[in-house]
Amino acid sequence: MSELTIPSGISFELSDDERMMIDSVRRYCQTEIAAFVKAHGAETYIPTEKMRELLKGLTEFGFVGGPIAQEHGGLGLSWKTFGLLLEELCAVSLSIGITAFIQTMVATLAEKLLAPELRDKYLPQILSCDAIACMGISEPDVGSNVVEIKCKARPVEGGYALSGEKTWISNGDYADICICVARTGEAPAALDLFLVDRRESPFDSHNIHKMALNATSTAQLFFADCKVPEQHRLTQNGQGLRQVAGLFGVSRPLVGVFSVGVGRAALEAAVSYAQERKQHGKAIAGHQLISGYLAEMATKIDASRLLVLRALDLLDRGVRCESESAMAKWFATELGVEVTSLALQIHGGNGVTCEFPVERLFREARVCPIPEGTTEINKLIIGRGLTGIAAF
Ligand SMILES: Cc1cc2nc3c(=O)[nH]c(=O)nc-3n(C[C@H](O)[C@H](O)[C@H](O)COP(=O)(O)OP(=O)(O)OC[C@H]3O[C@@H](n4cnc5c(N)ncnc54)[C@H](O)[C@@H]3O)c2cc1C
């Protein structure tokens, strides 16, 4: 990727170390991860122990610990650098990319919220991927409006008992640890975070079959009077909601990265196909409409990447950027659908067969406008930022 500097003074220039890191992640993903995906099947479910092994392999390349401070066992990378690493993984396997992303998000919450004793116990397990983690927010009746969460945390002797159901939870079936948002009072905002160690506080899970990304776990979780110790309550006085909102600030542009990665894979496939496929006496890349489609795809991917990097750069500099994160998320994920659709179109009839990757990339891209705030919710956030009036 060429140097990215935009006139506002924001520079995406990478240090030599960052550049080397991205190059080695690219090599690892394009050889080791790609070879695994080819042999295993891009859409075949990856069992827990195999996923753990893959995650452990990725930790050597800045995953999970990348954005964690060095004094806590991480690498202290910027979000911007982590985003570029994630793009490399998502361009090869979005399923594995999502799993690594969620693990990283939970690591950042654990770093921030766990008391020192608990942090010393859990953060190393998450960073090494000895424990796979998930984040339980959504419920069957509660998606876009998190203040309606019903899962309850009832005080019991020595701690709390969690009761309720979570759904769409990435890594849910794999998870040894869940950071769960639960209601601690009747007031709408009385929501707090709890660390549930499944090995000590068991809960059930059930994988959900989706239109794409079935190589990784997206699951329903069932908490039936699941007892967690007092010190596993990570927030007090309804601060859980504020922490979730803070997490979305980072996770939204990173979901935008999913689509940049998938879009890039689709562009690469479309370029090769357009160079090789001949119709009307020449390679279809020599037909102006196809050349135009490729140009449109490349431009949309670059525009998405720039918005994503802008949001990550603001986060790195500690600048409040709720609207910029929301812009990056909705724009990159919606454009990912357009880009992968064009890649499929360029492949003609072959595009709709499983022999070529583009139909899978199209299905994967279509999922991305939904998690971490739908396109509609992200536009409402931007609208609220512009007018000061919430239109939810
Ligand atoms: C692959 C995948 C992975 C996920 N991973 C996780 C995870 O790890 N943890 C987790 O907690 N959740 C996860 N989710 C859940 C995700 O966050 C929710 O699906 C999302 O927030 C939308 O909620 P919903 O599905 O209930 O849709 P709803 O909230 O029911 O929305 C349905 C439709 O109505 C629209 N809508 C809702 N409210 C408004 C409004 N006020 N104005 C205009 N339109 C509106 C929405 O935009 C959408 O189009 C995941 C989802 C998917 C698909």
Side-chain angles (χ1 to χ4, degrees):
M1 201 178 71
S2 56
E3 224 58 271
L4 300 171
T5 307
I6 56 176
S8 68
I10 299 173
S11 168
F12 301 128
E13 195 170 340
L14 301 172
S15 70
D16 288 346
D17 282 353
E18 288 169 325
R19 198 185 304 281
M20 269 166 51
M21 200 159 193
I22 291 160
D23 286 346
S24 52
V25 166
R26 180 178 302 143
R27 269 196 305 278
Y28 183 73
C29 292
Q30 292 183 356
T31 53
E32 301 294 319
I33 300 287
F36 166 77
V37 170
K38 191 165 179 230
H40 180 82
E43 304 216 65
T44 308
Y45 187 68
I46 303 171
T48 308
E49 289 317 311
K50 186 66 208 176
M51 187 59 98
R52 199 187 305 277
E53 189 187 316
L54 289 165
L55 289 175
K56 280 176 172 288
L58 285 162
T59 60
E60 307 273 311
F61 295 90
F63 283 91
V64 190
I68 303 296
Q70 288 178 338
E71 71 256 36
H72 295 142
L75 297 176
L77 299 181
S78 65
W79 282 114
K80 191 180 66 179
T81 307
F82 182 74
L84 291 168
L85 298 180
L86 186 63
E87 178 185 327
E88 296 303 325
L89 178 56
C90 295
V92 175
S93 169
L94 184 55
S95 284
I96 301 172
I98 290 177
T99 300
F101 155 79
I102 294 286
Q103 185 80 358
T104 306
M105 290 295 97
V106 177
T108 61
L109 269 186
E111 179 187 35
K112 189 168 167 201
L113 299 178
L114 263 53
E117 204 176 296
L118 269 195
R119 193 175 59 211
D120 290 347
K121 177 176 176 189
Y122 284 107
L123 191 54
Q125 298 179 29
I126 300 171
L127 295 181
S128 65
C129 301
D130 284 332
I132 300 185
C134 72
M135 185 73 215
I137 306 167
S138 308
E139 299 181 357
D141 294 332
V142 186
S144 300
N145 192 12
V146 288
V147 292
E148 290 171 1
I149 280 174
K150 294 190 175 75
C151 179
K152 271 209 169 80
R154 182 172 58 85
V156 292
E157 201 187 334
Y160 297 87
L162 267 54
S163 300
E165 187 180 331
K166 296 287 172 183
T167 194
W168 305 118
I169 308 307
S170 304
N171 295 0
D173 206 50
Y174 297 139
D176 302 293
I177 291 171
C178 174
I179 302 229
C180 180
V181 186
R183 180 159 294 289
T184 44
E186 293 309 316
L191 295 169
D192 282 295
L193 301 185
F194 293 82
L195 185 149
V196 186
D197 183 338
R198 195 180 197 171
R199 299 158 296 187
E200 295 166 3
S201 308
F203 57 84
D204 284 338
S205 60
H206 176 71
N207 272 332
I208 301 167
H209 186 79
K210 312 171 291 289
M211 67 185 285
L213 301 167
N214 289 302
T216 187
S217 166
T218 310
Q220 292 169 282
L221 308 183
F222 305 94
F223 297 97
D225 238 11
C226 175
K227 307 250 178 349
V228 296
E230 172 88 48
Q231 64 272 29
H232 283 209
R233 178 171 177 169
L234 307 184
T235 60
Q236 303 294 328
N237 307 321
Q239 286 300 304
L241 206 54
R242 205 171 63 87
Q243 295 300 336
V244 168
L247 185 74
F248 283 150
V250 184
S251 62
R252 286 185 171 142
L254 291 176
V255 172
V257 170
F258 296 177
S259 295
V260 173
V262 167
R264 198 179 101 187
L267 176 63
E268 283 163 10
V271 166
S272 312
Y273 192 83
Q275 288 167 330
E276 283 162 23
R277 175 76 177 172
K278 293 196 171 54
Q279 287 297 292
H280 297 96
K282 58 179 175 180
I284 59 169
H287 295 301
Q288 290 182 354
L289 290 174
I290 299 294
S291 184
Y293 282 162
L294 292 171
E296 201 180 311
M297 290 165 71
T299 310
K300 285 178 172 173
I301 294 166
D302 263 13
S304 299
R305 188 188 285 112
L306 283 167
L307 272 187
V308 161
L309 288 173
R310 194 263 301 255
L312 295 176
D313 185 69
L314 289 170
L315 284 160
D316 286 332
R317 292 189 287 131
V319 179
R320 200 179 142 81
C321 58
E322 193 183 38
S323 291
E324 290 84 352
S325 286
M327 285 177 187
K329 200 279 171 175
W330 88 253
F331 190 82
T333 56
E334 291 292 346
L335 264 65
V337 179
E338 293 178 22
V339 163
T340 51
S341 176
L342 284 175
L344 194 150
Q345 188 68 19
I346 289 170
H347 280 68
N350 281 330
V352 301
T353 71
C354 302
E355 301 299 311
F356 289 80
V358 286
E359 63 83 32
R360 173 179 53 79
L361 294 170
F362 175 63
R363 286 184 285 110
E364 290 180 351
R366 186 59 193 87
V367 174
C368 296
I370 295 170
E372 307 299 317
T374 59
T375 297
E376 294 75 18
I377 294 303
N378 279 300
K379 287 182 180 174
L380 292 172
I381 289 167
I382 299 161
R384 183 179 60 191
L386 291 169
T387 63
I389 298 169
F392 290 91

